[in-house]
Amino acid sequence: MELIECLSNVDDELAEIFLCDEVPTIDQLKAAIRRSVVARTFTPVLTGTALKNKGVQPVLNAVTDYLPNPTEVDNFAWDTSKIKDDEEKGERIKMDPERSDRFPSIALAFKLEQTRFGQLTYLRIYQGKFSKGDSIINNRTGRKTKASRLIQMHADKMEDIDEAYAGDICAIYGIDCATGDTFVTKPKVKINMESIYVPDPVVSMSMKYEGKDFSGQMSKALNRFSKEDPTFRISYDEESKETIVSGMGELHLEIYAQRMFNEYGLKVELGKPKVAFRETITIRTEFDYTHKRQSGGHGQYGRLIGYVEPLPADQNTINIFEDRTIGTNVPRSYMKSIKAGFLDESMAEGNLAGYPIRGVRVVVNDGASHLVDSSEYSFRLAAHGCFQQVLDQAPVDILEPVMKVEVSAPDEFLSNIIALAGQRKAEMQEQDSNGDYATVVFEVPLNNMFGFAAALRSNTEGKGEYTMEFARYEAASDETSEQLQTEYEEAKKEEKDGQKSKKKRGK
């Protein structure tokens, strides 16, 4: 009865049956669940354990009964052959789910798996047909590969097939690609599927190999992991000469370090974590900046007028650029350079603590140009000058990532868990106990979470476990903000002193 009441709140047909004091049939109940699931207003939850093969069949039945088939979902892609001046991705087009070869063949690589036979790439076909022996093209790299074998996976068993149509999932060996790449069968088809949402990394750590990697195994492992997992990223710090790995948490990076040892025999050491702080402005600020330089021959000239304003809290991880100019004071051909000058260059490093600027909207509504002296480079420098003008006037906040943490442990350790959360200035969200096990959910700044795994183990006799996921960015505490600013000033001072000593040695 509780299920019927809950469903009646989100499905009108079942609500009508319920209000008439009628008892719905099993078929009516299943149809209501399916309609609600497809409309994303109801989420069925099933329990079981794959290890003991309990509850597996009900899950498979629920997938068949309640989830939409490929023809009931609208999928979109970007046609990059129709890119206009003011667009970056091209024209958004809808995929046709018809199971035939009437439409161009398009598939997305959504998972990579390393096997003893090489890389196995899982493809979800969104349109058209792929056949064994087809030459398939990676639209990101332009590389063409022959699909000598098409495979349909059944758990850990492979079945060779001759063709796969829209809605199918198949696998192919021997393709060099990354997660999220789009594949087509015709070179003229310049269509890319909408990219998978990949959140920005929130933790960075240095990674060192204790020995000498003569065979290049470390770079091979890191490249493979970054292809498999778009949230795992690698960079190289020229100053410290260290490899930097970034991911969604300390545990995320520790797992990859363990995999490098298990799969490649490489014992690596992770350095101190670095949190991905951000900076943002807090009030709308106008700008009016003219970049003008004359040095014989063609000069440089560009003037931009507009404003920068903070975005809502739920958009503080992105930046938006808007062109609201009217007329030809600022030629539209320069807009790409202006946008790059604002979003790519000016916001790469803030003035407060050196972190990237996020959560702002830049609006250009007027300006001026010169027939001879204006150029893309001039307006790019003008954009940089505009944003520096804004940073000099507007108050700036430091943003820090806040994580949602769920801790489970025997009920006797509940007070210890709450004390641990309090020490890390966490904000309690939920607390539940069923007599044997307690679950506590809280939100806490990521900067306060380092070392939590060891503390949890020691406070729960090794019986506690936790999961952590990114929740949002919010303004950092005054204490954290002051500490980051002090560290930034000290780092800048050390850098200046180092440059002076280099100059002295050069003389």
Side-chain angles (χ1 to χ4, degrees):
M1 184 56 81
E2 189 177 344
L3 173 64
I4 296 171
E5 286 182 21
C6 186
L7 268 174
S8 299
N9 292 329
V10 293
D11 185 78
D12 293 338
E13 290 185 32
L14 194 70
E16 192 174 332
I17 295 172
F18 180 68
L19 292 172
C20 293
D21 290 332
E22 297 177 13
V23 178
T25 65
I26 297 296
D27 290 339
Q28 288 174 326
L29 204 54
K30 282 186 174 181
I33 294 174
R34 181 179 174 80
R35 286 192 298 270
S36 305
V37 169
V38 171
R40 297 185 180 184
T41 56
F42 180 79
T43 304
V45 178
L46 297 96
T47 59
T49 165
L51 187 63
K52 297 186 178 180
N53 198 27
K54 301 288 186 184
V56 175
Q57 194 58 49
V59 170
L60 297 176
N61 292 341
V63 170
T64 306
D65 293 337
Y66 307 136
L67 296 185
N69 66 55
T71 63
E72 295 176 301
V73 179
D74 291 338
N75 296 299
F76 295 89
W78 298 99
D79 187 349
T80 56
S81 66
K82 300 178 180 178
I83 291 182
K84 298 176 183 175
D85 291 339
D86 58 345
E87 293 178 341
E88 287 186 351
K89 297 180 179 179
E91 182 183 333
R92 192 168 184 253
I93 58 174
K94 184 180 175 182
M95 297 288 95
D96 195 304
E98 181 182 315
R99 293 175 64 83
S100 72
D101 57 0
R102 284 202 309 131
F103 301 97
S105 303
I106 299 164
L108 179 75
F110 68 92
K111 179 183 176 183
L112 308 180
E113 182 182 342
Q114 196 68 28
T115 70
R116 56 197 178 100
F117 302 113
Q119 179 176 294
L120 184 64
T121 303
Y122 288 80
L123 298 177
R124 159 71 154 89
I125 300 171
Y126 284 93
Q127 184 175 275
K129 180 184 83 167
F130 283 75
S131 301
K132 179 181 177 181
D134 281 351
S135 290
I136 62 174
I137 302 159
N138 185 333
N139 263 353
R140 179 177 63 87
T141 63
R143 190 173 296 170
K144 183 187 287 189
T145 310
K146 186 176 181 181
S148 55
R149 189 181 178 195
L150 274 183
I151 301 165
Q152 194 171 58
M153 301 298 295
H154 295 281
D156 60 347
K157 293 182 174 59
M158 301 180 186
E159 180 185 325
D160 284 288
I161 56 176
D162 293 327
E163 52 194 26
Y165 291 90
D168 291 342
I169 290 175
C170 65
I172 300 178
Y173 274 111
I175 299 179
D176 183 21
C177 68
T179 301
D181 283 354
T182 300
F183 288 89
V184 297
T185 55
K186 296 178 180 177
K188 291 183 179 179
V189 178
K190 302 297 182 185
I191 294 176
N192 290 312
M193 293 302 302
E194 289 187 318
S195 58
I196 302 167
Y197 171 68
V198 180
D200 288 334
V202 293
V203 171
S204 296
M205 302 172 82
S206 63
M207 179 178 278
K208 295 178 183 176
Y209 177 48
E210 294 180 358
K212 289 191 176 180
D213 186 20
F214 292 112
S215 59
Q217 286 287 90
M218 182 171 170
S219 60
K220 190 186 296 183
L222 291 175
N223 286 333
R224 176 194 147 197
F225 295 152
S226 64
K227 283 184 178 181
E228 289 179 3
D229 182 1
T231 63
F232 179 73
R233 300 184 189 174
I234 313 151
S235 59
Y236 186 74
D237 191 328
E238 290 290 346
E239 291 184 13
S240 62
K241 306 296 181 186
E242 290 180 329
T243 299
I244 307 296
V245 291
S246 306
M248 301 311 296
E250 195 175 1
L251 181 62
H252 185 202
L253 300 180
E254 285 174 359
I255 288 170
Y256 277 113
Q258 187 63 44
R259 282 186 65 185
M260 289 183 76
F261 180 70
N262 294 341
E263 298 174 27
Y264 291 89
L266 298 171
K267 193 172 182 181
V268 296
E269 184 181 325
L270 291 172
K272 186 182 176 182
K274 295 178 182 177
V275 179
F277 291 98
R278 299 287 184 262
E279 296 181 25
T280 191
I281 65 165
T282 57
I283 61 171
R284 171 172 163 159
T285 306
E286 310 280 337
F287 60 79
D288 183 350
Y289 181 83
T290 303
H291 172 73
K292 190 175 182 181
R293 185 173 296 170
Q294 198 71 40
S295 56
H298 287 305
Q300 296 175 14
Y301 183 86
R303 182 187 179 193
L304 294 172
I305 303 170
Y307 59 89
V308 178
E309 63 181 359
L311 288 169
D314 60 345
Q315 292 182 290
N316 64 8
T317 60
I318 62 171
N319 294 322
I320 296 174
F321 175 84
E322 293 184 11
D323 170 20
R324 295 186 187 172
T325 57
I326 299 171
T328 58
N329 285 352
V330 181
R332 295 190 64 80
S333 58
Y334 296 145
M335 273 303 161
K336 275 192 176 181
S337 296
I338 295 170
K339 182 178 180 180
F342 275 112
L343 302 189
D344 298 339
E345 297 169 8
S346 304
M347 300 188 190
E349 184 178 320
N351 290 354
L352 197 60
Y355 292 101
I357 305 285
R358 292 293 182 270
V360 298
R361 176 188 283 110
V362 178
V363 178
V364 176
N365 49 34
D366 203 357
S369 61
H370 188 276
L371 189 62
V372 176
D373 292 345
S374 290
S375 65
E376 291 185 357
Y377 181 67
S378 301
F379 273 102
R380 189 183 284 252
L381 292 176
H384 185 72
C386 288
F387 202 73
Q388 288 304 312
Q389 194 180 79
V390 169
L391 290 180
D392 291 341
Q393 299 175 32
V396 178
D397 270 354
I398 293 178
L399 302 175
E400 66 179 347
V402 175
M403 312 302 285
K404 182 179 180 182
V405 181
E406 183 175 321
V407 182
S408 298
D411 202 50
E412 61 195 274
F413 301 112
L414 178 60
S415 58
N416 292 5
I417 296 170
I418 294 173
L420 274 177
Q423 291 168 11
R424 284 165 168 73
K425 301 177 182 177
E427 185 179 319
M428 302 300 293
Q429 302 290 313
E430 294 177 39
Q431 182 179 322
D432 185 38
S433 175
N434 61 6
D436 295 324
Y437 252 74
T439 301
V440 178
V441 180
F442 53 85
E443 290 185 346
V444 59
L446 177 62
N447 198 43
N448 300 344
M449 278 298 289
F450 297 122
F452 181 77
L456 180 64
R457 280 195 296 270
S458 63
N459 279 272
T460 60
E461 299 176 6
K463 298 174 184 176
E465 55 186 36
Y466 77 101
T467 59
M468 182 170 70
E469 62 181 29
F470 173 72
R472 65 186 179 279
Y473 270 92
E474 66 177 28
S477 64
D478 292 341
E479 181 185 347
T480 302
S481 184
E482 287 172 10
Q483 181 185 349
L484 293 173
Q485 290 178 62
T486 303
E487 290 174 358
Y488 180 62
E489 292 299 329
E490 289 176 355
K492 282 204 302 184
K493 187 179 178 183
E494 286 179 9
E495 188 179 341
K496 283 183 180 178
D497 292 343
Q499 288 175 352
K500 285 179 182 178
S501 63
K502 279 183 182 179
K503 285 181 181 178
K504 285 180 181 178
R505 286 198 299 269
K507 289 179 181 178

